[in-house]
């Protein structure tokens, strides 16, 4: 694989992890929502084209949407092993896929709507067992650009402006933490440096969770949350509105996409006390086109989707 960086220094910490097999593509299966689990497993949901329609003006894989109910196939890739689970009669049109403990997983739509009364919001998330059976549904807020699960199964969301100003009580804070019953377990409670306007991306680092968000005039921030204590520490981001972020100690790697092109900006940064400082920046050629929801950070590795190929970048 030829990445052709604009600098002469090769980056040996970039690895190709998985590509959608040609047999799946020929048979009409599309690789849609994806995530990375706490033990480094890549999880991708495949859906046959007969269940899908395409938004004309949305580029890349995110432009495909299923008609519910649909049948899908969950692919779990870890090392050289690949495991597949058939999902039948899926009744949610998801925007996010996330991994939970014991092989369970979550499908969530990015939006929710008020029910019959002002206090009730319709469910937009479903928990599935490891065998693909729905176990429960609930609401995890409105307008969710970024979602990640921690190693204990907590669900963390960063919300967009329509959720923040749309009347949902937890979305209004911009960032939120939930359990797998859909109960809000964490909110920033005024401990952020500015008012969030839009979520960008998310990452985990051991027991901690990082949510990256944009505040308008205040710029972009990296918020580190310790779920066990609720403590949150925020830092100004060295990169405006990154698509991907991963952190290992005082080192971080961030990406900014060239939308629907085969390249990203790859930025490395280091934390010196309270300030993240860029240490290198280059344009990276990648195997496929990069669109929204292309990056997720897990324990020091940034997973980057480029078309139907997944790369892993070490922080």
């Amino acid at each position: 694989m030829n990445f052709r960086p604009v600098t002469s220094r090769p980056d040996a910490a970039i690895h190709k992890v998985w590509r959608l097999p040609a047999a799946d593509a020929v048979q009409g299966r599309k690789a849609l929502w994806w995530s990375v689990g706490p033990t480094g497993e890549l999880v991708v949901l495949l859906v046959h084209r007969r269940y899908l329609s395409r938004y004309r003006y949305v580029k890349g894989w995110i432009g495909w949407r299923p008609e519910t109910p649909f049948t899908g196939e969950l692919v779990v890739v870890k090392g050289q092993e690949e495991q597949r689970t058939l999902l039948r009669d899926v009744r949610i049109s998801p925007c996010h896929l996330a991994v939970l403990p014991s092989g369970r997983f979550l499908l969530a739509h990015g939006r929710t709507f008020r029910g019959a009364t002002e206090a009730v919001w319709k469910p937009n998330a479903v928990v599935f067992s490891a065998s693909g059976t729905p176990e429960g549904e609930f609401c995890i807020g409105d307008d969710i650009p970024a979602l990640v699960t921690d190693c204990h199964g907590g669900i963390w969301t960063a919300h967009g402006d329509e959720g923040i100003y749309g009347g949902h009580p937890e979305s209004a804070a911009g960032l939120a933490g939930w359990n797998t019953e859909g109960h809000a377990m964490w909110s920033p409670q005024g401990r952020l440096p500015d008012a969030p306007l839009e979520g960008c991306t998310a990452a985990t680092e051991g027991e901690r969770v990082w949510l990256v968000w944009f505040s308008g005039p205040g710029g972009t921030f990296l918020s580190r949350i310790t779920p066990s204590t609720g403590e949150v520490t925020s830092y100004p981001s060295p990169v405006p509105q990154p698509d991907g972020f991963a952190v290992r100690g005082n080192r971080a790697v961030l990406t900014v996409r060239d939308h629907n092109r085969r390249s990203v900006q790859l930025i490395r940064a280091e934390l010196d006390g309270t300030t993240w400082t860029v240490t290198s920046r280059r344009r990276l050629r990648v195997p496929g086109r990069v669109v929204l929801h292309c990056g997720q950070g897990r324990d020091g590795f940034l997973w980057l989707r480029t078309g139907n190929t997944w790369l892993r970048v070490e922080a």
Side-chain angles (χ1 to χ4, degrees):
M1 186 182 302
N2 183 12
F3 293 111
R4 298 178 60 191
V6 296
T7 64
S8 60
R9 182 181 69 84
D11 198 327
I14 301 175
H15 303 279
K16 176 182 175 181
V17 178
W18 189 73
R19 178 177 174 82
L20 178 70
D24 286 307
V26 168
Q27 292 171 19
R29 297 187 185 96
K30 296 287 185 182
L32 300 183
W33 315 280
W34 69 280
S35 187
V36 180
T39 60
E41 66 272 35
L42 173 66
V43 182
V44 184
L45 184 56
L46 310 185
V47 180
H48 196 278
R49 188 165 181 168
R50 65 175 172 269
Y51 295 107
L52 302 173
S53 59
R54 183 163 184 83
Y55 292 159
R56 181 177 179 183
Y57 298 107
V58 180
K59 303 293 186 180
W61 64 271
I62 59 171
W64 293 97
R65 285 291 180 265
E67 298 294 331
T68 57
F70 67 91
T71 295
E73 191 170 41
L74 192 74
V75 183
V76 179
V77 180
K78 189 170 184 180
Q80 300 301 312
E81 297 183 359
E82 182 179 306
Q83 178 182 334
R84 298 194 174 208
T85 301
L86 191 65
L87 307 182
R88 299 183 184 275
D89 198 31
V90 179
R91 295 183 175 274
I92 183 173
S93 180
C95 295
H96 299 283
L97 166 65
V99 181
L100 298 169
S102 303
R104 297 153 70 227
F105 61 95
L106 177 86
L107 291 178
H109 194 280
R111 299 301 307 271
T112 185
F113 302 96
R114 291 186 188 276
T117 68
E118 289 293 308
V120 175
W121 293 79
K122 293 185 178 181
N124 63 344
V126 180
V127 172
F128 291 81
S129 69
S131 63
T133 302
E135 293 185 337
E137 63 177 21
F138 45 81
C139 177
I140 53 170
D142 189 26
D143 191 6
I144 310 171
L147 182 153
V148 71
T149 50
D150 64 34
C151 58
H152 298 296
I155 304 162
W156 299 86
T157 52
H159 298 269
D161 59 350
E162 293 184 65
I164 292 169
Y165 297 105
H168 190 282
E170 281 77 30
S171 303
L175 311 180
W178 315 78
N179 64 17
T180 51
E181 285 73 47
H183 300 137
M185 304 298 290
W186 180 89
S187 69
Q189 298 179 340
R191 293 171 291 179
L192 300 178
D194 206 341
L197 181 63
E198 185 75 21
C200 298
T201 188
T204 61
E205 182 194 18
E207 298 281 329
R208 294 170 169 171
V209 173
W210 291 77
L211 296 177
V212 183
W213 50 279
F214 174 69
S215 69
T220 305
F221 292 90
L222 316 175
S223 288
R224 184 187 66 204
I225 303 159
T226 304
S228 60
T229 64
E231 178 186 2
V232 57
T233 304
S234 298
Y235 305 88
S237 173
V239 177
Q241 302 184 62
D243 298 304
F245 170 76
V247 60
R248 185 190 301 274
N250 68 337
R251 303 195 313 272
V253 59
L254 307 96
T255 52
V256 177
R257 74 183 185 280
D258 296 324
H259 187 63
N260 201 40
R261 297 185 179 181
R262 297 173 182 263
S263 62
V264 296
Q265 295 180 52
L266 182 68
I267 303 104
R268 296 189 179 275
E270 291 187 0
L271 179 63
D272 181 10
T274 59
T275 304
W276 284 98
T277 302
V278 171
T279 57
S280 68
R281 185 191 302 264
R282 65 192 182 102
R283 191 172 303 280
L284 185 71
R285 291 287 301 274
V286 293
R289 297 182 185 276
V290 183
V291 294
L292 290 169
H293 304 303
C294 61
Q296 184 179 127
R298 276 286 185 190
D299 299 325
F301 293 95
L302 174 61
W303 294 72
L304 180 65
R305 177 174 185 167
T306 68
N308 285 325
T309 301
W310 278 260
L311 309 178
R312 188 179 65 202
V313 184
E314 188 173 356

